[in-house]
Amino acid sequence: VTVNVDYINITINDVYTTITSKGLLGYNAVGQVAGLGFEYRLPSAQALLYEMSLMIGTSSTQVSDMFRNGTTPGGDADFGSVIRAAQITPSVVSDFDVDGKFNDAPATINAPVEVHHNAYAWSAAPYRKFVIVKYEIKNTGSSALNNLYAGILADWDVPNADASKNKAAYDATNKMGYVWNTVTSGPYAAIKLLSNTAPAVHYALDNAPGGVGGVNVYSDFTTAEKYTVLSTNRPTAGDTSAQGNDVMDCVSSGPFTVNAGSSITVAFALIGGDNLVDIQASACAAQAKYDNGCVVGVNDVETNNFWMYNYPNPSTGSFNINYNVIGYDKAAIRIMNALGQTVMIFDNLAQGKNTLAVDGSALAAGYYFYQLKAGEAVLTKKITIVK
């Protein structure tokens, strides 16, 4: 029996996970114990995570994290609790607010930083498939921290029983790294950057012998390699075969310069979903919760045989969408609001160049997105409705 635990479980929506007091996410201890991991629970509970940790680094010799390193049993243990993570009652931001504080004083080489962290979860659609985590990172040293990157690294196993058939990719539109299983039809797991205080960085890792051209974490994971993962881009992993392999994924932000006594904020959404479109919609909804603005759409492709534009833009309600679809089956256009919810859809579009008249007079003022989709081809653009 563990008494007075220093972690808290979130179980109010379709993703169950655990927020710890020391930078770990999902589990509070090695071996997938002391926590819920990360479960996507539709249509039934599916475990998707082996290990996940916040990482903060300033150089190839200084990275603070709680992730495995390949040499020390249990991995790095660079964060220590200052104020235990606890639920805030009554909630202020979401249906389940978490607040806590930790620092990297235990690290052999620290930044040094103190991290005030929060987590938020909602029980109502369309916000049921993610948890937001936010980190306010304060420089507690006497000199500036340069080239600082902060991110979340996850060893996703989608699902846990079949992690050897995973692939990882990046949705640049939504600043989201995601992992899926090439054999099953779902689920998907994703990390999305919400904050816009510095550029997004994404590094997909192959957890396979030799690293498959990327950082080799199969037998070791050095501080220098962790900083590479935090600070450079690698778009995909799992490309060793059509079925993929075991992968990991990191989404981070930087570089930051943090003066002594100053702070920066980074925030992420941890997402589970049925498919790519589903996690895109949740990414959009999470962004809306964070700052009331987002974009849905990935793999956008525009060619001579697949294009569209609209006029007028802005529009007072009614507008036209000119499009061209040649050689694509089952083309459709849908209109989505800023939360990623479909408000209008037009199926079975005719081939060739056409004009679609949209009566949007019933739409409220604001930003909307219109998306042309046919097979795997997707094209998303934005329109403003004014009243």
Side-chain angles (χ1 to χ4, degrees):
V1 177
T2 303
V3 180
N4 204 23
V5 297
D6 61 345
Y7 60 89
I8 187 165
N9 297 329
I10 298 178
T11 60
I12 69 164
N13 58 26
D14 298 326
V15 291
Y16 282 17
T17 194
T18 296
I19 306 298
T20 79
S21 299
K22 52 189 179 185
L24 284 166
L25 296 157
Y27 297 107
N28 197 45
V30 179
Q32 296 178 290
V33 296
L36 301 175
F38 188 90
E39 293 184 356
Y40 179 61
R41 302 184 66 81
L42 293 179
S44 59
Q46 299 182 76
L48 308 182
L49 179 70
Y50 183 84
E51 183 180 4
M52 189 187 314
S53 174
L54 175 71
M55 300 174 67
I56 301 171
T58 58
S59 71
S60 60
T61 59
Q62 189 284 307
V63 176
S64 297
D65 67 278
M66 300 290 289
F67 211 84
R68 64 181 180 267
N69 57 27
T71 55
T72 305
D76 289 328
D78 297 332
F79 293 130
S81 176
V82 175
I83 299 176
R84 182 183 294 114
Q87 182 182 2
I88 302 301
T89 305
S91 293
V92 177
V93 176
S94 69
D95 298 324
F96 195 103
D97 293 1
V98 177
D99 186 89
K101 187 177 290 186
F102 57 86
N103 62 25
D104 69 342
T108 303
I109 302 176
N110 62 10
V113 292
E114 183 177 77
V115 183
H116 180 192
H117 66 115
N118 299 99
Y120 308 113
W122 291 263
S123 58
Y127 314 110
R128 291 185 55 84
K129 297 185 178 184
F130 60 84
V131 172
I132 287 177
V133 289
K134 185 178 74 170
Y135 303 98
E136 183 182 349
I137 302 168
K138 181 179 180 180
N139 178 358
T140 57
S142 58
S143 58
L145 297 175
N146 299 309
N147 298 312
L148 184 146
Y149 289 82
I152 293 176
L153 173 62
D155 184 353
W156 295 115
D157 289 344
V158 183
N160 277 162
D162 197 22
S164 64
K165 298 180 179 64
N166 283 184
K167 285 181 178 286
Y170 185 57
D171 174 352
T173 304
N174 284 307
K175 300 185 293 186
M176 177 174 67
Y178 60 95
V179 173
W180 74 100
N181 190 290
T182 62
V183 177
T184 64
S185 58
Y188 277 51
I191 303 169
K192 170 185 165 47
L193 177 67
L194 295 168
S195 50
N196 58 5
T197 46
V201 182
H202 170 260
Y203 197 102
L205 299 90
D206 288 283
N207 192 14
V212 197
V215 167
N216 181 10
V217 299
Y218 197 70
S219 59
D220 195 5
F221 198 5
T222 67
T223 298
E225 289 170 334
K226 289 181 176 180
Y227 189 70
T228 296
V229 168
L230 273 176
S231 59
T232 59
N233 287 289
R234 187 173 189 246
T236 62
D239 300 326
T240 56
S241 69
Q243 289 192 335
N245 51 255
D246 191 12
V247 301
M248 301 193 295
D249 207 49
C250 181
V251 176
S252 59
S253 185
F256 295 96
T257 295
V258 189
N259 293 323
S262 297
S263 301
I264 55 99
T265 298
V266 293
F268 305 87
L270 310 177
I271 304 171
D274 299 328
N275 49 51
L276 181 56
V277 173
D278 195 28
I279 61 171
Q280 285 180 308
S282 289
C284 190
Q287 190 71 62
K289 279 296 188 185
Y290 190 75
D291 65 7
N292 298 317
C294 61
V295 175
V296 175
V298 68
N299 297 334
D300 279 12
V301 56
E302 190 163 17
T303 69
N304 290 334
N305 293 331
F306 189 83
W307 52 257
M308 71 172 176
Y309 64 91
N310 85 288
Y311 66 94
N313 190 4
S315 168
T316 56
S318 297
F319 56 94
N320 295 314
I321 298 176
N322 283 2
Y323 69 91
N324 187 32
V325 176
I326 299 176
Y328 295 84
D329 294 330
K330 298 180 180 179
I333 288 177
R334 62 173 177 157
I335 313 297
M336 297 165 290
N337 62 20
L339 300 180
Q341 300 165 318
T342 299
V343 295
M344 303 176 73
I345 190 164
F346 306 90
D347 289 319
N348 301 315
L349 298 177
Q351 291 279 312
K353 296 179 181 179
N354 294 280
T355 298
L356 176 66
V358 179
D359 181 8
S361 57
L363 299 177
Y367 292 110
Y368 291 82
F369 303 94
Y370 57 105
Q371 184 179 78
L372 174 63
K373 189 174 188 299
E376 295 299 316
V378 180
L379 187 59
T380 308
K381 297 190 177 183
K382 184 166 67 174
I383 184 171
T384 303
I385 303 295
V386 295
K387 299 292 186 179

